[in-house]
Amino acid sequence: MFHRILIANRGEIALRVLRACREMDIEPVTVYSEADREALHVQLAERAYCIGPARAAESYLDRDAILTVARAAGCDAVHPGYGFLSEDPAFADACAAAGATFIGPPGDVIRTMGCKAAARKLMREAGVPVVPGSDGPVAGPEEARAAADTVGYPVLLKASAGGGGRGMRRVDRPEQLEPLFHEARGEALACFGDGEMYLEKLIPDPRHIEVQILADRQGHVIHLGERECSLQRRRQKLLEESPSRALSPALREAMTAAAVAAARAAGYENAGTVEFVLDREGNFYFIEMNTRIQVEHPVTELVTGLDLVREQIRIAAGLPLSVSQEEVALRGHAMECRINAEDPAHDFRPSPGRVGFLHLPGGCGVRVDTGLYPGCELPPYYDSLAAKVIVHAPTRLEAIRRMRRSLEELVIEGPRTNTDLLHQLLYHPDFIRGSYDTGFLERELDTLLAWSGSGEEEST
Ligand code: ADP
């Protein structure tokens, strides 16, 4: 087993990994930018090293700075968390070259799955259903038009290197294709330095459902059920739950089997997520595979009772999975709310700054993952996720009630947050029925803002 793990991340996920290390008797080493000097992941670690200025490009994304620390501190492994360098194949390779095990899949697997046109092809060959669309990348608007004519409008133009919805455009009519192709490719080049595009049929009002996978070096691949992630604003997830109300036992079995087949076809190792869209007729299609731990992983931890970061570390150390598929039991219902420091009354603009009084919810079935403490500073340089409130209960209705009361207990003085909006969402009749799709939150946003009072606030 490893002796010392370098945690190449910040915020709640750095703490999440630090805690797993402690419980496994592994010494956590953390790194931080100048903006994070007072951060909890620095204060809780015996060893923390400053790796550069606030800007992520000069600190949390600086491979050399991080590996210099890893070598100097004698770390035998690196955990990348999510975001930052977690899906950078060059970083995974550089860790291996520096003699530190990258806690994730091999660089080549990240490379293949990071190229979404190639991943689609691999999945189709493995018999995993993919969204109808282009065979591989489309070189220009002409090829895109030919593919769109075959599958029928509306279509989605997507960037192969895409993420976070960037480089993606919906095209409703043939004459829009050429201008939108250039627009999407321009955005992909600017964001990812890679303009490769492909095309998919647009699935109307789908659900976004993903399957958690674990795969070890001994060849075991298991799934840990699904997470329903359809509650999104601008393709960012806000609330996730497991199990999904949209899956019958037969559909769950088919989808999880497809996810296991996908992981096998990819030669996958470590924890990963296979993402699908589900249409209204119950057909599901692979959209991408995420080769890292996800923000919403605690939902799966609460229904399975497993510690996913611990499993990640064990797998990277060459140990077999601690459970077999038969031993995985999915119990009760779990739900996560992402508390973001942003102002819903002003188009969700980021709301960084100093936190004053802080009260976090607790009690039966409640878990809070956060780097917040009273008096801490939320720097403006990074994403706005401030805390994750996760609940577990025997049934979905009890989980909803537990989440409502948890959000009522939450007090964050200082930055504005989306807490009231989430609280109102938990009272929406369609949410309570479990009948929602990826467009639901944006369609209902004005209603929810009015209910939460955020729509009427004085402008400041
Ligand atoms: P990114 O990596 O940029 O987030 P994804 O391929 O994961 O891109 O898609 C992001 C979101 O867009 C999904 O959660 C889903 O809501 C929606 N989406 C993706 N592909 C389709 C599709 N073919 N039809 C309808 N919606 C889609």
Side-chain angles (χ1 to χ4, degrees), residues 51-98:
I51 46 165
R55 251 169 48 87
E58 298 172 68
S59 48
Y60 297 108
L61 289 171
D62 186 337
R63 300 183 198 120
D64 292 338
I66 290 168
L67 287 174
T68 301
V69 170
R71 269 189 299 261
C75 297
D76 41 14
V78 175
H79 196 300
Y82 52 68
F84 295 128
L85 296 170
S86 60
E87 291 179 287
D88 176 358
F91 183 62
D93 290 344
C95 287

Side-chain angles (χ1 to χ4, degrees), residues 44 51 140 176 208 233 266 433 438 446:
L44 290 189
I51 46 165
Q176 299 174 314
H208 173 122
R233 179 181 164 270
R433 270 195 293 275
T438 55
D446 287 341

Side-chain angles (χ1 to χ4, degrees), residues 24-267:
M24 296 175 82
D25 241 342
I26 298 169
E27 192 186 330
V29 174
T30 60
V31 292
Y32 61 96
S33 73
E34 284 164 14
D36 276 337
R37 285 186 185 287
E38 300 173 18
L40 206 52
H41 77 278
V42 178
Q43 299 194 31
L44 290 189
E46 281 86 1
R47 295 212 219 182
Y49 296 82
C50 184
I51 46 165
R55 251 169 48 87
E58 298 172 68
S59 48
Y60 297 108
L61 289 171
D62 186 337
R63 300 183 198 120
D64 292 338
I66 290 168
L67 287 174
T68 301
V69 170
R71 269 189 299 261
C75 297
D76 41 14
V78 175
H79 196 300
Y82 52 68
F84 295 128
L85 296 170
S86 60
E87 291 179 287
D88 176 358
F91 183 62
D93 290 344
C95 287
T101 304
F102 177 79
I103 301 176
D108 283 340
V109 175
I110 303 179
R111 208 166 271 120
T112 309
M113 301 319 274
C115 174
K116 297 212 234 162
R120 253 173 80 78
K121 190 156 173 287
L122 183 71
M123 291 308 144
R124 207 179 24 223
E125 286 162 7
V128 177
V130 301
V131 187
S134 58
D135 271 340
V138 286
E142 291 315 312
E143 273 187 35
R145 184 185 292 246
D149 286 343
T150 314
V151 298
Y153 289 84
V155 296
L156 268 183
L157 284 168
K158 290 183 162 188
S160 256
R166 279 165 305 180
M168 198 189 288
R169 291 291 182 282
R170 175 192 170 127
V171 185
D172 289 291
R173 291 184 305 279
E175 62 272 21
Q176 299 174 314
L177 211 123
E178 184 161 351
L180 288 175
F181 184 91
H182 293 301
E183 200 180 297
R185 175 149 70 185
E187 191 173 298
L189 276 167
C191 294
F192 315 110
D194 179 348
E196 186 177 276
M197 303 296 298
Y198 65 105
L199 181 143
E200 278 180 2
K201 189 171 176 57
L202 183 105
I203 307 295
D205 305 323
R207 295 222 182 201
H208 173 122
I209 296 175
E210 57 188 33
V211 176
Q212 177 70 53
I213 289 294
L214 287 178
D216 64 19
R217 226 171 269 165
Q218 288 71 18
H220 307 109
V221 183
I222 65 169
H223 73 82
L224 304 180
E226 80 279 6
R227 292 184 291 259
E228 162 72 71
C229 304
S230 300
L231 289 165
Q232 308 178 351
R233 179 181 164 270
R234 303 215 170 139
R235 307 203 193 278
Q236 297 294 320
K237 299 163 187 166
L238 269 181
L239 182 153
E240 303 95 346
E241 57 179 320
S242 184
S244 167
R245 289 276 277 182
L247 298 193
S248 62
L251 194 49
R252 175 170 301 112
E253 199 169 312
M255 203 183 256
T256 53
V260 169
R264 283 200 188 281

